[in-house]
Amino acid sequence: MSSAEPVNMDALRKPMLTFGVELEFIVVWLYEGDKDPDGHLKELAPWGIYDDPSVLEIRSPEDIGGYYTSGVEIRSPVATDDLQAYEVLNYARNLLISNFRTYVNPTCGLHVHVGQGAERFSSDRMRRIGALLFSTEHLLVKLDHPFRFVNYYCRPLWFSRLALLARGVYVAAPPHDEADNDMQCLGYLSADVRHGEEPTSWRIQNTSEDIVEAFQKSRRDGGYEPFQVPDDHLNPSGGSSHNVEEQALNVGDEVGARLTEYLEKERLKGSKETKATELVGPSRDRFIKRIRNSWPTVEKLKEYELRVMRYTTVEADIPEHFGQTPEPGIFDCIRHIFNTTTSCEVAHLLGGEDRKRVNLQAYSCSHFAESNKRYTIEFRGAGGDLSPWVVTWAKICVGLIRFAISAPVENFLDVLISCDRSKEEEGIYDVIDLLDDLGLPAEALIAEQRIERNEHDPDFNIEYFNPESQESLKGEPKA
């Protein structure tokens, strides 16, 4: 008989993910009657424009060709993860740049929200999502301009409570019921969704005392059966409102168990034996050599600080603990994620006093008390952009979440292990390898082209790795 594990049919279904994009940029304008500095250009077509106070240009009109400016944020409607939605996004982007005189500066961002429509990600999915977001950050930042490091509104996750906890710094537990004591965030709303149970959206709509008490009873006394909805809370058809395709896959515990097993093996081995020259090559032929994953130096960040302050009144500064050594390993950090039991704990660990590159505020305890609920994970790390990269970055963000919740445990752990080793040793894994492993080969190719374009810009500090000499290569990108 075959020893293979039974196939999980739920896991084979493609998750129904949704996304939305926020484009931030500067639009120039003139008072009626003013002389047009570029009057030879065609007249501007009408378009809905709304001010965004966080997008700033403090230079005077004399410094920017005689124009006045307004900060703008354009929000896309919620769209499903399909080809047509990305084509619409690209069409809207083209419409903006062809009808308005726009540019971006360091105060502008490109934000992508990823969710499951009106449904929340379950706590086991959030553990996988959180672990992948944290583990891949040091690779993905190579696709952004380094001045995003000093932006107060998109701090790296590497300076979140999770990293502080791994450094031995005391981190208080999340205020589970601070917003509303009756919401029972820890014991009910944010708790795991077991196989066969109603999704979190049902719990949000059913918070009566008897329901909460019955649910919590199912979790006590060693109970492992799914919570059964009382008869008087069934829908009129006699069944529950449960949607199988929205049901959690309940693989978070398995990931945590295998992660513990891997760490124990590594401890017994005493060292990581894999070297850059011993790694199996990527399945897709690369056009550039692997790049180094090093972050900007403190001196370089100080330079970025001064440059960013030319555009905004919001103080830019270097994140606390930046450049301190030794740094904890990735697994030293994400093991705390797999020790959580609720989605709000994951959001708390990956948060901080400032906003992070990836914002999980929609999964915090306080969010349950908000009337305008949007259950999305917000990617804030990308700088302002109105090029076709907008569409590529949206696909990458959605692809990250899709992989986190759908990838088989073995593939998921392989990526985490590769990310961990890439912080230990240069030249064995980079952002291009990551995108290929996430199942995004087209986006990986575009990312290679983006890296090539940025290699001569000293701000990006692109260095290619030579596995034979273990040295950096400048100006020799071809593989």
Side-chain angles (χ1 to χ4, degrees):
M1 294 181 64
S2 174
S3 60
E5 297 181 1
V7 177
N8 184 339
M9 298 305 296
D10 282 346
L12 297 179
R13 293 189 177 94
K14 179 182 178 181
M16 195 284 288
L17 296 178
T18 55
F19 74 98
V21 176
E22 299 176 5
L23 302 176
E24 295 179 349
F25 52 91
I26 306 293
V27 62
V28 300
W29 54 275
L30 298 167
Y31 285 107
E32 186 175 356
D34 284 356
K35 181 181 178 180
D36 189 344
D38 293 301
H40 60 285
L41 299 177
K42 65 180 181 179
E43 293 185 2
L44 301 181
W47 188 261
I49 298 176
Y50 301 90
D51 287 341
D52 185 335
S54 69
V55 181
L56 302 172
E57 175 58 87
I58 63 175
R59 293 178 297 174
S60 66
E62 291 75 20
D63 294 331
I64 51 177
Y67 284 112
Y68 303 93
T69 63
S70 291
V72 177
E73 179 178 287
I74 299 293
R75 295 185 180 184
S76 77
V78 177
T80 55
D81 174 28
D82 57 41
L83 180 60
Q84 184 178 14
Y86 295 111
E87 290 175 345
V88 170
L89 174 60
N90 194 49
Y91 174 79
R93 180 196 63 80
N94 273 313
L95 196 63
L96 284 171
I97 62 177
S98 62
N99 285 278
F100 296 94
R101 303 173 195 181
T102 60
Y103 67 96
V104 297
N105 68 18
T107 71
C108 301
L110 168 59
H111 302 170
V112 179
H113 293 258
V114 183
Q116 291 186 125
E119 186 56 69
R120 287 171 56 94
F121 290 115
S122 59
S123 56
D124 61 320
R125 284 183 169 179
M126 283 298 294
R127 284 192 287 273
R128 284 177 54 128
I129 290 171
L132 186 65
L133 293 176
F134 187 88
S135 301
T136 57
E137 181 183 61
H138 69 289
L139 303 176
L140 290 170
V141 295
K142 302 301 287 187
L143 300 177
D144 299 325
H145 196 291
F147 64 50
R148 299 296 284 176
F149 275 95
V150 298
N151 190 309
Y152 181 83
Y153 298 108
C154 58
R155 296 293 199 210
L157 293 175
W158 201 251
F159 308 107
S160 62
R161 296 185 184 96
L162 178 63
L164 294 178
L165 186 63
R167 287 185 171 98
V169 179
Y170 170 75
V171 173
H176 287 293
D177 299 321
E178 186 177 89
D180 189 336
N181 289 329
D182 295 330
M183 294 303 289
Q184 296 292 336
C185 176
L186 174 60
Y188 182 55
L189 294 176
S190 290
D192 277 329
V193 178
R194 293 176 177 173
H195 185 82
E197 287 186 341
E198 300 293 331
T200 306
S201 58
W202 183 91
R203 297 181 191 174
I204 294 174
Q205 298 169 5
N206 295 269
T207 57
S208 61
E209 185 177 345
D210 60 324
I211 286 289
V212 174
E213 184 178 344
F215 175 86
Q216 293 177 340
K217 184 178 180 180
S218 71
R219 268 25 183 198
R220 292 197 297 264
D221 304 325
Y224 293 98
E225 293 298 320
F227 170 62
Q228 301 297 319
V229 180
D231 292 342
D232 56 344
H233 286 271
L234 295 173
N235 64 26
S237 65
S240 71
S241 60
H242 180 61
N243 184 335
V244 173
E245 292 193 354
E246 293 177 346
Q247 180 175 296
L249 300 183
N250 293 310
V251 293
D253 291 341
E254 183 179 359
V255 173
R258 296 202 186 185
L259 178 60
T260 301
E261 180 182 351
Y262 165 76
L263 291 175
E264 180 61 19
K265 288 181 179 179
E266 288 296 310
R267 185 186 67 79
L268 293 175
K269 286 166 58 178
S271 64
K272 296 181 175 64
E273 299 174 354
T274 303
K275 299 298 180 183
T277 53
E278 299 173 357
L279 283 187
V280 177
S283 58
R284 178 184 63 84
D285 289 336
R286 293 174 57 127
F287 293 93
I288 63 173
K289 292 182 181 293
R290 285 196 174 100
I291 61 174
R292 288 187 175 273
N293 302 318
S294 55
W295 283 10
T297 62
V298 173
E299 291 71 23
K300 197 69 176 177
L301 290 185
K302 290 180 179 178
E303 176 189 330
Y304 297 145
E305 281 186 273
L306 297 176
R307 290 167 57 184
V308 170
M309 290 303 294
R310 293 165 47 196
Y311 298 92
T312 177
T313 57
V314 178
E315 184 177 355
D317 58 5
I318 300 174
E320 186 179 5
H321 302 290
F322 189 91
Q324 293 185 6
T325 55
E327 289 187 343
I330 284 178
F331 286 129
D332 293 329
C333 297
I334 64 173
R335 66 183 179 87
H336 296 288
I337 292 179
F338 288 105
N339 286 336
T340 64
T341 58
T342 65
S343 56
C344 55
E345 289 176 291
V346 177
H348 180 71
L349 286 176
L350 292 177
E353 299 303 321
D354 44 25
R355 292 193 181 185
K356 302 305 179 188
R357 287 180 57 87
V358 184
N359 179 20
L360 281 71
Q361 182 63 27
Y363 286 82
S364 66
C365 301
S366 60
H367 191 71
F368 282 113
E370 298 177 9
S371 58
N372 183 23
K373 294 180 173 63
R374 180 170 58 180
Y375 303 123
T376 60
I377 293 169
E378 181 187 19
F379 291 80
R380 303 177 55 85
D385 203 316
L386 292 174
S387 74
W389 178 253
V390 168
V391 180
T392 301
W393 180 244
K395 291 180 178 179
I396 290 174
C397 295
V398 175
L400 269 167
I401 303 301
R402 184 193 309 117
F403 183 86
I405 66 178
S406 302
V409 173
E410 290 78 5
N411 299 77
F412 184 76
L413 283 175
D414 282 345
V415 168
L416 296 188
I417 292 170
S418 296
C419 291
D420 178 54
R421 289 178 173 171
S422 71
K423 284 188 70 69
E424 298 284 337
E425 181 183 353
E426 290 281 17
I428 66 172
Y429 197 75
D430 66 3
V431 65
I432 305 303
D433 295 314
L434 171 65
L435 295 178
D436 281 326
D437 285 347
L438 295 179
L440 300 171
E443 289 69 37
L445 176 59
I446 296 173
E448 285 186 282
Q449 296 167 346
R450 182 178 177 86
I451 290 172
E452 278 193 298
R453 287 195 299 270
N454 293 333
E455 69 170 282
H456 298 299
D457 186 335
D459 282 348
F460 284 86
N461 192 32
I462 300 297
E463 295 183 356
Y464 297 95
F465 186 81
N466 185 349
E468 286 75 26
S469 64
Q470 305 290 302
E471 296 175 350
S472 298
L473 299 174
K474 287 284 190 179
E476 299 182 24
K478 300 299 182 182

